């Protein structure tokens, strides 16, 4: 029985969070909310799928979904594996990355959710089966602008809540040392610098972080597509390098791996083109000996999509989880994070739909 997409809608949610200190600026405004864009795809069989776009694209992503994506996807068969490649080619002249690819990411995730629901199997099953049923999460602290007291205080809080991996968004060796003084030697500490340095500026601070044994240093170089400079830094310091949340296609990942720039690749499901591209990147990278640890700073359908990919891929890695008190955590009851770990749902599709109250309470 053929299935047809009958409607596509997008919802911009802003869910307040408390990071227990002054929020940093992000893209021009204080980071006080979980920004999210959820995509709902309805079919004529009554099956509804959910996806998610990069939330900071906000109203721009909603517009892209409800104009461009809706126009090319309504009336199509959601089980057609050629649908996404066809749409990608059809829209390529509008840009191969950014908001348009964020919108396609939301559609792609929703299509996987629909396919699982139609077949009565989980997305993990569609990806070949989960290799693990439980995935550890890591506490990804928001940025505390080098304030070592805050870094210590919030790191201690993450450990109290059961997390066994920490990520900082800090740029100074002192901040990393502060976190290490709290964790002791055995907790992996990842350090995300968000493209802090021009080539040549990064060697000294990254080398100085080495004393605190960072698990990786993430996106040390501006611009993020300068893979040659990242490779030089990696070689010069011997510090493991992670990147990829700002890459724009599977071919970018091939290039960064070929350049010797990375130890860990981090495609972001809400930005890179959804599960289809993320899965391709993870598979290719791990075949090449590079570990895929997807970027995930959200809580919606993209979080579940990433959870399934991590459950199914070759190498075991933790799932990123933004560390803050959020006014309402999506899937808190259906897919709870307990003491720094989540059970991989084996219900059809992604395994849970977003709670209706989210849309009543937090629609932007
Ligand atoms: Mg990052």
């Amino acid at each position: 029985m053929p299935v047809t997409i009958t409607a596509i809608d997008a919802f911009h949610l802003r869910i307040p969070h408390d990071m227990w200190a002054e929020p940093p600026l992000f893209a021009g405004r204080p980071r006080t909310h979980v920004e999210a864009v959820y995509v709902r795809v309805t079919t004529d069989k009554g099956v509804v799928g959910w996806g998610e776009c990069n939330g900071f694209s906000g109203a721009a992503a909603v517009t892209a979904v409800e104009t461009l994506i809706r126009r090319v996807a309504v009336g199509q068969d959601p089980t057609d594996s050629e649908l996404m490649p066809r749409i990608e080619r059809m829209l390529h002249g509008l840009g191969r990355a950014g908001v348009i690819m964020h919108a396609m990411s939301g559609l792609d995730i929703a299509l996987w959710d629909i396919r699982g629901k139609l077949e009565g199997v989980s997305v993990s099953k569609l990806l070949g089966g989960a290799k693990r049923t439980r995935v550890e999460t890591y506490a990804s602290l928001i940025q505390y602008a080098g304030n070592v007291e805050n870094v210590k205080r919030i790191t201690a809080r993450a450990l109290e809540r059961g997390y066994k991996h920490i990520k900082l968004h800090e740029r100074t060796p002192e901040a990393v040392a502060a976190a290490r003084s709290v964790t002791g030697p055995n907790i992996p500490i990842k350090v995300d610098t968000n493209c802090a340095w021009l080539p040549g500026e990064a060697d000294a601070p990254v080398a100085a972080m080495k004393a605190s044994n960072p698990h990786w240093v993430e996106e040390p170089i501006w611009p993020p597509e300068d893979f040659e400079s990242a490779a030089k830094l990696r070689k010069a310091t011997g510090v493991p390098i992670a990147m990829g949340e700002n890459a724009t296609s599977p071919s970018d990942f091939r290039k960064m791996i070929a350049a010797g720039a990375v130890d860990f690749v981090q495609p972001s499901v809400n930005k890179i083109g959804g599960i289809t591209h993320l899965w391709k990147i993870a598979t290719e990278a791990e075949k090449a000996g590079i570990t895929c640890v997807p970027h995930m700073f959200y809580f919606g359908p993209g979080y579940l999509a990433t959870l399934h990919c991590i459950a199914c891929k070759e190498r075991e890695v933790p799932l990123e989880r933004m560390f803050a008190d959020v006014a309402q955590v999506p899937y808190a009851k259906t897919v709870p994070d307990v003491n720094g770990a989540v059970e991989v749902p084996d219900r059809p599709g992604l395994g849970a739909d977003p709670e209706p109250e989210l849309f009543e309470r937090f629609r932007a």
Side-chain angles (χ1 to χ4, degrees), residues 133-137 303 307 319 335-338 340-344:
T133 57
R134 181 177 176 276
V135 170
E136 288 197 339
T137 52
Y303 180 84
L307 173 62
L319 171 63
V335 192
D337 180 85
V338 181
V342 280
E343 299 290 331
V344 182

Side-chain angles (χ1 to χ4, degrees), residues 86-135:
R86 208 161 57 233
I87 289 176
E88 198 180 329
R89 287 188 75 167
M90 212 185 296
L91 300 182
H92 80 271
L94 306 180
R96 299 279 297 127
V99 173
I100 187 70
M101 190 52 82
H102 303 169
M104 279 191 255
S105 303
L107 173 64
D108 181 82
I109 295 167
L111 294 179
W112 282 84
D113 191 26
I114 288 172
R115 288 172 199 145
K117 285 168 172 168
L118 285 169
E119 291 186 33
V121 300
S122 66
V123 166
S124 286
K125 186 90 180 172
L126 295 177
L127 290 171
K131 292 193 167 57
R132 48 202 74 84
T133 57
R134 181 177 176 276
V135 170

Side-chain angles (χ1 to χ4, degrees), residues 1 3 13 17 20 29 45 87 92 101 115 122 133 162 189 211 216 218 250 252 259 269 339 341 346:
M1 276 277 272
V3 188
L13 306 180
H17 66 65
W20 316 289
R29 71 171 166 182
K45 295 290 174 289
I87 289 176
H92 80 271
M101 190 52 82
R115 288 172 199 145
S122 66
T133 57
I189 299 178
W216 71 55
E218 181 170 333
D252 274 2
V269 78
N339 285 325
D346 65 359

Side-chain angles (χ1 to χ4, degrees), residues 2 14 30 32 79 116 120 161 182 186 192 203-204 229 296 305 339 348 355:
R14 302 191 73 229
T32 53
T79 67
R161 294 192 186 181
V182 172
N186 297 327
D192 191 348
D203 292 59
S229 296
M296 180 35 58
N339 285 325
E355 294 81 359

Side-chain angles (χ1 to χ4, degrees), residues 222-242:
W222 173 261
E225 61 272 21
D226 183 354
F227 304 140
E228 285 66 32
S229 296
K232 272 189 205 150
L233 176 72
R234 177 171 174 251
K235 202 159 174 225
T237 61
V239 172
I241 301 293

Side-chain angles (χ1 to χ4, degrees), residues 135-210:
V135 170
E136 288 197 339
T137 52
Y138 71 83
S140 194
L141 277 58
I142 301 173
Q143 191 195 112
Y144 295 93
N147 182 316
V148 293
E149 290 314 313
N150 283 339
V151 168
K152 283 186 191 172
R153 182 167 61 91
I154 311 303
T155 298
R157 182 165 298 180
L159 297 181
E160 277 161 31
R161 294 192 186 181
Y163 289 101
K164 293 165 194 71
H165 315 251
I166 299 288
K167 181 150 102 184
L168 307 176
H169 286 84
E170 303 297 334
R171 300 173 169 192
T172 65
E174 293 77 14
V176 185
R180 180 57 76 201
S181 74
V182 172
T183 63
N186 297 327
I187 297 280
I189 299 178
K190 309 161 204 312
V191 182
D192 191 348
T193 67
N194 294 113
C195 304
W197 300 290
L198 295 172
E201 296 173 350
D203 292 59
V206 171
M209 288 175 184
K210 217 173 165 177

